[in-house]
């Protein structure tokens, strides 16, 4: 009787945000496999979690904050014991913190910043335009959102420099052991600024924040954590999205020309790049009760990762999902999330990107890649950031 063939047991599909093999291309290949074979996948790593990959499921989970709570933190595994309002708070506390930052994040606030953002973009482009070449990540995508957000805070030059430095340092070490130490330092710095404003009030955002907080009664630590996450999220997601957009344009001169000829397409092009190259690939939730999704029984207390980047490539929702269609309408992408935790700075991020794109098309038309482009490979920032690290161009 012949020997039986050895049995091969296939490893179940698993999403590991910290895998060193999670390149952008590999991530999207994995998402396609997950959507088709295991749309609600489980992993035992980092204390265990579920990964949800189909658009309809991701959106449904994001909309159901009563079952899928945000109080479990924003990183897997956690990088800090602290909480960062409003992103990891549920109602009713969530609404109070959102109200505190509304002066910075409303559509009206973004519109009022238009001339300041344009001036900032022009200043950054002025610094390199005569060279005929630039590195657009270091010289435009990274400094623009940081400059804008520190202007919103009405910080002086020295204070702005501190906040920029902390944000850039954390971006490099978000998922490592230094992440906690950087968070502690930046939050201590914010608390020192609160003390300064109490001693000498000004007509600025921080003074207004402290006055508004008299109703909410949040602690200084909570306010500092809020300012940390507001600054970091307001910077990195915009910088990543802008870098992805500029890379696409640098590689597609025909699209540049079409946008010059049809400038009204710029906003839809930006939305399409956000869908196709989602800057933040996932966010976690925590179950408040036992539930079942796609036949998978999940227990209260377990973590659930919402794979927004996978949802944005779901062919059941988006025709030609793996292609960039710059005039795609409608475009119901989830790059800014959904539900009560939709990104509060969405209007500002879109405006910054729009003004930057319009400016480079006007002032350095025909810009193209000239050197080695470096992507975030593997995904960075705790295993979820997709962007460009270096983008050398010439014109």
């Amino acid at each position: 009787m012949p020997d039986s063939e050895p049995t091969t047991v296939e490893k179940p599909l698993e999403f590991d945000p910290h895998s060193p093999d999670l390149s952008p291309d590999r991530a999207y290949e994995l998402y396609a496999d997950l959507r088709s074979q295991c749309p609600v996948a489980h992993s035992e790593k980092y204390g265990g979690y579920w990964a949800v990959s189909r658009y309809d499921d991701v959106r449904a989970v994001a909309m159901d904050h009563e079952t899928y709570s945000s109080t479990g933190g924003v990183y897997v595994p956690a990088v800090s014991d602290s909480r960062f309002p409003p992103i990891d708070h549920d109602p009713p506390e969530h609404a109070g913190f959102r109200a505190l930052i509304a002066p910075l994040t409303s559509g009206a606030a973004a519109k009022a910043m238009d001339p300041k953002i344009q001036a900032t973009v022009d200043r950054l482009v002025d610094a390199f335009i005569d060279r005929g070449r630039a590195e657009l990540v270091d010289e435009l995508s990274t400094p623009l959102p940081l400059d804008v957000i520190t202007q919103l805070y009405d910080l002086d030059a020295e204070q702005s420099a501190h906040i920029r430095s902390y944000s850039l340092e954390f971006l490099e070490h978000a998922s490592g052991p230094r992440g906690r130490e950087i968070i502690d330092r930046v939050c201590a710095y914010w608390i020192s600024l609160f003390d300064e404003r109490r001693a000498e009030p000004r007509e600025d955002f921080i003074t207004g924040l402290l006055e508004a907080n008299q109703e909410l009664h949040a602690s200084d630590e909570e306010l500092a954590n809020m300012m940390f996450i507001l600054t970091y999220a307001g910077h990195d997601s915009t910088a990543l999205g802008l870098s992805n957009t500029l890379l696409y344009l640098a590689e597609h001169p025909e699209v540049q020309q079409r946008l010059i000829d049809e400038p009204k397409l710029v906003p839809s092009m930006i939305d399409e790049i956000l869908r196709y190259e989602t800057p933040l690939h996932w966010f976690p939730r925590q179950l408040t009760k036992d539930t079942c999704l796609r036949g998978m029984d999940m227990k209260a207390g377990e973590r659930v990762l919402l794979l927004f980047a996978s949802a944005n490539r779901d062919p059941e929702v988006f025709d030609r999902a793996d292609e960039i269609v710059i005039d795609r309408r409608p475009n119901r992408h989830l790059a800014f999330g959904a539900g009560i935790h939709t990104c509060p700075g969405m209007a500002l991020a879109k405006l910054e990107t729009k003004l930057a794109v319009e400016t480079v098309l006007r002032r350095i038309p025909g810009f193209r890649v000239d050197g080695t482009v470096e992507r975030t490979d593997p995904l960075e920032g705790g295993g979820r950031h997709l962007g460009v690290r270096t983008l050398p161009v010439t014109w």
Side-chain angles (χ1 to χ4, degrees):
M1 185 175 179
D3 293 338
S4 60
E5 293 292 328
T7 301
T8 300
V9 179
E10 290 190 11
K11 185 179 179 180
L13 282 173
E14 177 184 68
F15 174 72
D16 178 0
H18 302 291
S19 169
D21 300 323
L22 196 63
S23 67
D25 288 343
R26 172 58 187 142
Y28 284 111
E29 291 172 359
L30 177 58
Y31 297 153
D33 290 341
L34 287 168
R35 287 193 305 268
S36 64
Q37 302 175 39
C38 192
V40 180
H42 189 261
S43 174
E44 295 291 345
K45 294 181 178 178
Y46 320 119
Y49 57 88
W50 298 88
V52 181
S53 53
R54 290 183 182 171
Y55 181 99
D56 288 345
D57 296 334
V58 170
R59 189 176 187 281
V61 170
M63 298 295 290
D64 183 3
H65 60 267
E66 293 183 354
T67 304
Y68 301 91
S69 169
S70 294
T71 58
V74 297
Y75 288 97
V76 175
V79 299
S80 173
D81 297 329
S82 300
R83 296 179 63 193
F84 300 95
I87 197 170
D88 59 1
H89 283 61
D90 292 332
E93 295 83 5
H94 174 265
F97 285 110
R98 287 282 288 234
L100 289 181
I101 63 175
L104 301 182
T105 59
S106 67
K111 186 176 181 180
M113 282 295 293
D114 189 312
K116 291 184 178 181
I117 297 171
Q118 185 62 64
T120 302
V121 174
D122 283 331
R123 174 175 54 80
L124 293 170
V125 174
D126 285 344
F128 60 70
I129 192 169
D130 291 337
R131 257 189 272 137
R133 63 180 61 249
E135 202 288 279
L136 290 182
V137 174
D138 282 347
E139 298 187 80
L140 183 57
S141 296
T142 296
L144 173 61
L146 272 178
D147 284 1
V148 169
I149 203 163
T150 52
Q151 288 181 58
L152 281 167
Y153 296 157
D154 298 314
L155 300 178
D156 62 32
E158 181 180 357
Q159 293 166 342
S160 295
H162 278 298
I163 296 301
R164 290 190 194 96
S165 176
Y166 288 137
S167 294
L168 294 172
E169 187 178 5
F170 185 74
L171 184 61
E172 292 294 321
H173 303 284
S175 59
R178 287 185 59 188
R180 291 173 184 265
E181 184 266 331
I182 296 166
I183 290 172
D184 290 343
R185 277 194 286 125
V186 71
C187 288
Y189 186 74
W190 276 114
I191 290 173
S192 73
L193 291 181
F194 300 156
D195 290 338
E196 288 181 17
R197 291 300 189 274
R198 289 192 180 99
E200 298 182 18
R202 302 181 187 178
E203 292 187 4
D204 63 4
F205 172 74
I206 298 176
T207 301
L209 173 71
L210 296 174
E211 291 174 351
N213 185 51
Q214 291 177 11
E215 292 187 16
L216 188 63
H217 303 297
S219 68
D220 277 5
E221 181 182 1
E222 289 175 310
L223 294 180
N225 288 341
M226 181 184 74
M227 295 304 296
F228 163 77
I229 202 67
L230 184 65
T231 305
Y232 177 61
H235 160 241
D236 80 318
S237 58
T238 305
L240 293 167
L242 178 55
S243 70
N244 291 333
T245 303
L246 293 174
L247 173 59
Y248 173 70
L249 292 174
E251 293 179 334
H252 295 84
E254 76 285 358
V255 176
Q256 288 191 46
Q257 189 58 53
R258 185 178 177 190
L259 294 174
I260 291 170
D261 295 339
E262 301 177 71
K264 290 183 178 180
L265 287 178
V266 169
S268 67
M269 182 275 299
I270 291 169
D271 268 321
E272 178 66 347
I273 301 301
L274 287 169
R275 180 197 70 82
Y276 185 83
E277 298 281 29
T278 304
L280 303 181
H281 272 217
W282 57 269
F283 266 94
R285 297 290 190 268
Q286 187 165 348
L287 282 159
T288 62
K289 59 186 178 183
D290 293 355
T291 193
C292 182
L293 183 63
R294 297 276 177 187
M296 306 302 290
D297 292 322
M298 303 186 293
K299 301 298 183 183
E302 292 185 319
R303 306 297 299 278
V304 181
L305 305 191
L306 283 65
L307 303 184
F308 289 111
S310 174
N312 285 339
R313 294 279 193 101
D314 191 337
E316 295 297 317
V317 177
F318 300 99
D319 186 40
R320 297 160 62 194
D322 289 323
E323 298 178 33
I324 294 175
V325 182
I326 68 169
D327 56 356
R328 184 186 296 276
R329 291 189 182 90
N331 193 340
R332 299 183 294 130
H333 69 77
L334 300 175
F336 293 106
I340 65 169
H341 288 288
T342 298
C343 175
M346 175 173 61
L348 186 64
K350 284 189 174 186
L351 179 60
E352 290 177 46
T353 306
K354 175 178 177 289
L355 293 177
V357 167
E358 291 174 342
T359 300
V360 296
L361 290 174
R362 182 176 67 252
R363 300 190 64 185
I364 55 170
F367 68 98
R368 60 195 180 277
V369 174
D370 182 35
T372 301
V373 174
E374 184 181 353
R375 302 295 305 273
T376 49
D377 186 357
L379 300 182
E380 298 177 346
R384 69 172 136 224
H385 292 180
L386 172 65
V388 184
R389 292 183 62 89
T390 59
L391 178 53
V393 299
T394 189
W395 53 90

